[in-house]
């Protein structure tokens, strides 16, 4: 069964739902996976750091979690999860600490968008392991991103 939590990040990948981090009543590093076919929860490897109100997405076959609140401060930390190895690793930190940001994978690029204390838009340059800041959005605050499968967008 999943650990009770608030302000967690969640992604869907390969027919499963992964729930990461959050708060209850301490900041969490735990990760659980729900398999709807088997109707069961399993524990995954813990993240390296705490992530509360963080951005998360699936990109190039791995799960990424960005920023968030880490208990005492806004975070720049970015981690990726390799499902096959059940292992989290850190990659290059965001240029600006933020929480409540949106994270999405578009056109084979990982994007970080907005967040509390930041109005920046950044793309991860995987070859050079760095974040490239793009034109900022005109506000700062909580952002969300959702992807919709193309099959749902087709008209009948």
């Amino acid at each position: 069964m999943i650990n009770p939590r608030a302000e967690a990040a969640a992604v869907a990948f390969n027919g499963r739902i992964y729930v990461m981090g959050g708060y209850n009543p301490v900041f969490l590093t735990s990760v659980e996976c729900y398999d709807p076919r088997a109707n069961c929860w399993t524990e995954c490897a813990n993240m390296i750091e705490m992530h509360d109100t963080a951005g998360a997405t699936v990109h190039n076959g791995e799960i990424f979690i960005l920023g968030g609140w880490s208990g005492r401060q806004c975070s720049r930390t970015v981690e990726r999860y390799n499902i096959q190895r059940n292992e989290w690793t850190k990659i290059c930190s965001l240029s600006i600490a933020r929480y409540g940001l949106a994270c999405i994978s578009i056109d084979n690029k990982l994007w970080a968008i907005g967040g509390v204390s930041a109005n920046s838009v950044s793309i991860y340059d995987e070859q050079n392991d760095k974040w490239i800041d793009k034109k900022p959005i005109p506000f700062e605050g909580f952002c969300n991103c959702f992807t919709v499968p193309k099959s749902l967008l087709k008209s009948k």
Side-chain angles (χ1 to χ4, degrees):
M1 173 162 257
I2 189 170
N3 291 322
R5 63 183 77 211
E7 302 169 348
V11 298
F13 185 56
N14 285 343
R16 294 188 167 104
I17 300 167
Y18 293 82
V19 179
M20 303 155 279
Y23 180 84
N24 176 31
V26 297
F27 294 95
L28 303 171
T29 59
S30 61
V31 179
E32 285 92 18
C33 173
Y34 177 67
D35 181 343
R37 289 185 190 119
N39 190 29
C40 69
W41 287 95
T42 55
E43 291 183 14
C44 300
N46 285 350
M47 296 178 294
I48 298 165
E49 292 191 15
M50 299 172 281
H51 294 269
D52 178 66
T53 59
T57 195
V58 174
H59 176 69
N60 289 339
E62 296 181 303
I63 296 172
F64 285 75
I65 190 161
L66 288 68
W69 191 255
S70 63
R72 296 182 190 256
Q73 62 188 8
C74 203
S75 175
R76 296 175 52 224
T77 301
V78 179
E79 298 184 47
R80 70 175 156 212
Y81 179 63
N82 182 297
I83 295 170
Q84 304 302 323
R85 293 193 308 255
N86 189 33
E87 177 180 75
W88 287 92
T89 55
K90 283 187 182 182
I91 64 168
C92 176
S93 295
L94 295 165
S95 56
I96 299 170
R98 47 189 150 158
Y99 67 97
L101 70 155
C103 178
I104 195 163
S105 178
I106 301 174
D107 295 331
N108 207 27
K109 293 184 175 116
L110 181 63
W111 293 73
I113 303 163
V116 175
S117 76
N119 65 341
S120 68
V121 174
S122 307
I123 298 175
Y124 180 56
D125 176 353
E126 294 181 68
Q127 290 183 334
N128 297 303
D129 192 32
K130 68 179 185 176
W131 287 90
I132 299 169
D133 291 330
K134 297 294 187 178
K135 184 174 181 157
I137 54 178
F139 62 89
E140 60 182 61
F142 283 91
C143 291
N144 290 298
C145 278
F146 303 93
T147 53
V148 178
K150 288 181 182 178
S151 62
L152 295 179
L153 298 175
K154 294 179 183 175
S155 60
K156 294 184 179 189

